[in-house]
Every structure is written in C-alpha cells, then in structure tokens.
Amino acid sequence: MAVNTLEVRSLTKVIGKKKIVDDVSFSVKKGEIFGLLGPNGAGKTTIIRMIVSLIKRTAGEVTVNGNNLDGQFKKTMSEIGAIVENPEFYKYMSGYKNLKHYANMAIKEVSDERIMEVARLVKLEDAIYQKVKTYSLGMRQRLGVAQALLHNPSLLILDEPTNGLDPQGIREFRDYLHALAHEGISVLVSSHLLAEMQLMCDRFAIIEKGKLIHISSMKETMEEDEKMEVIFEVSSSLKAVDVLKGQLSNTDVKVLSEDQFSVNVEKATISTINKLLISKGIDVYGIRTVTVSLEDRFLEITNKEVKEHGGVMQ
C-alpha cells in the first residue's frame, strides 16, 4: 500500500534552452493539504500541468497511489481530479445537469447518487437544480470541485483556486477543502496568496524560479524561532528599557512609544521581565506577542536563498 498519495520525483521542464522547472521532488500524504507557494511565473502551474499530463515532462516521474503515470496512465489519471484553470460550465443548464454531462463522459461509471453526494460534499445541494448563470463565483468554484470529485479520485489538484473570490467565498472554500481532507482525500493546491495558504495547508513547498527551495510543515515553519517578539505596555517605556538593559544585558529591546516597548525573548523570559518591572515600580498594563506570518517566513526563506547562492531576486 502506498504511503503517499502523490510522489513527484525530479520533475523537469525545459523549453528551448530555459529550464522552467528544475528537478523538483515532493510528496503528498493521504488526507493532507499540500501547498505549492511562489510568485507568479515561479513554475507552479507548469508543475501541475505536468502532473496531470496537460504538457509533456522533459524528465521526472509522477506516481499516484503507487501507480506510475508512464506505465499505468489510465489507472493513474483515474485517481486524479483537477481544476487547472477557471472551471467552465453551461450557464443555461443547472448545476445538476452540468455534473450529469461530465458524469456521462467519465471513464468510471458515475451514478446519480454520486452526483448528489459530491453536491452535498461541496455544500451545493440547495442550489444544485438552479441554473449556473445564477451562481456566484464561489458557487461556480465549488461546482468545479464537485466535477473534479465525481469519479471519486484520491487526489484533488487545484491551481490558484481562490482567484476572484471575496473573503467569505475564500473562507467557505478553505472550510470545505478541510472537510475533503478529513474524508481522506489528498489536496495539492498552488497559490501566491500566502495569508490564505497559511490557514489552508498542512505542509508546503516554495518554488522560486522553477526550483524547490524549501519544504516543511506549516506548524514547524511558524514555530521555527525559539525567540518571539513581545510588546509591553507600561507606565514608562524609557524607565522599563533602562531596567532591562541593566538587569538583562543581552536582551534585544526597543522603545516603540512613551508607554510601549518591544523585546525579543524566549517564552519563559516573559514572566521574568514582568516581575522585574513590577519590582522596580513600573506598572505593566498589557503584554502581547507579535504573531509571525507566513509572509514573513516566506521572505526570510527566499532572501536567505538569494544570499546563499548570490544574485538578486527578480
């Protein structure tokens, strides 16, 4: 039994003399949402197009549930559902009739019960008999996912799926992707919207100029630093900083305003600072930690890559 739903090994795409994708390898576990992150033009869509055989690979292998795409093409593709561009439907037909149309073209037999099952899964059961022209963009995106799930694939692949969605639509989309993952479906999703991917993905890879430069779990990346930035609200920030510099000489501290200062410390040191300030007659009105975003981590990782390998990011 395959440990990973998707295995991508040494995926490479060369056009002319230019490497669009350069020796990219990663895997997606069962029931996992895996993100491909990177700026527009980094190679994310090219990777996805090669995985689903919309374009030819120059080199590399794609395996789904242990089946190699080259040796078992039909069997492997039957395990994949994908939306690579905005899903297109017959707007004058209902959502149900559109799904029925695609079901009739599927390699596997798709029953009417399966159509209604996926409609419920993407929360369109109440609108499934309405014409698609009445659907919002978010509803059409969900109908696209329903179409991709009709043949009961193990792997769902989505390229920039939240483009054009409003905040409510993005949140709904994220929630039902989590529901799909909970059902055991693996999801590979690409995006340049870092804040959204932070909330959506279990693990992620960063693609920069066609190369995979970083891969890790979202939790590990967000908790990478031992120290955190903490902001104290006090009766006098100048007095507080003087105290800290005298008592904790190696502490990185900075005055923000008359009544606020920031300090970079380990979690255990926060209570020590609080007790110290109070003992010196300085009132402490508030303490809050500054949350590091995926955008911050992304910039750290990509800037580190530039420094280590030279050159300037384009």
Side-chain angles (χ1 to χ4, degrees), residues 24 31 41 45 49 66-67 83 88 94 97 111 121 167 178 214-216 227 251 255 259 279 283 296:
V24 169
T45 296
R49 284 177 171 272
N67 300 312
I83 303 176
E88 294 293 334
S94 68
K97 285 186 176 179
S111 66
L121 197 59
H178 284 145
H214 178 86
I215 188 167
S216 71
K227 292 186 176 181
T251 303
V255 173
D259 60 356
S279 71
D283 296 326
D296 297 326

Side-chain angles (χ1 to χ4, degrees), residues 194-311:
L194 301 181
E196 184 51 40
M197 295 293 269
Q198 181 177 343
L199 298 172
M200 188 183 294
C201 299
D202 301 302
R203 286 192 307 135
F204 70 97
I206 295 177
I207 307 297
E208 175 68 29
K209 297 179 182 177
K211 292 186 178 183
L212 192 155
I213 63 170
H214 178 86
I215 188 167
S216 71
S217 76
M218 194 64 71
K219 184 178 181 181
E220 286 171 352
T221 300
M222 302 315 297
E223 296 176 353
E224 206 164 78
D225 287 345
E226 293 181 2
K227 292 186 176 181
M228 63 183 74
E229 184 180 0
V230 184
I231 295 177
F232 282 77
E233 185 179 354
V234 294
S235 53
S236 172
S237 60
L238 291 175
K239 288 182 180 178
V241 169
D242 284 342
V243 167
L244 294 183
K245 286 183 176 178
Q247 298 288 325
L248 303 170
S249 57
N250 293 326
T251 303
D252 181 15
V253 61
K254 181 170 62 177
V255 173
L256 301 178
S257 65
E258 290 183 359
D259 60 356
Q260 288 189 344
F261 70 91
S262 69
V263 59
N264 286 299
V265 291
E266 294 178 359
K267 186 175 181 180
T269 309
I270 297 173
S271 61
T272 302
I273 291 174
N274 185 42
K275 292 173 184 176
L276 178 61
L277 294 177
I278 292 171
S279 71
K280 298 296 183 180
I282 299 169
D283 296 326
V284 178
Y285 304 122
I287 303 171
R288 63 183 174 89
T289 58
V290 177
T291 303
V292 177
S293 69
L294 180 58
E295 182 178 10
D296 297 326
R297 290 286 187 237
F298 179 87
L299 292 173
E300 282 178 21
I301 293 163
T302 51
N303 287 333
K304 182 180 178 182
E305 179 74 9
V306 170
K307 289 177 182 177
E308 289 181 351
H309 294 89

Side-chain angles (χ1 to χ4, degrees), residues 179-191:
L180 293 177
H182 185 71
E183 294 290 324
I185 295 172
S186 303
V187 182
L188 173 64
V189 55
S190 82
S191 182

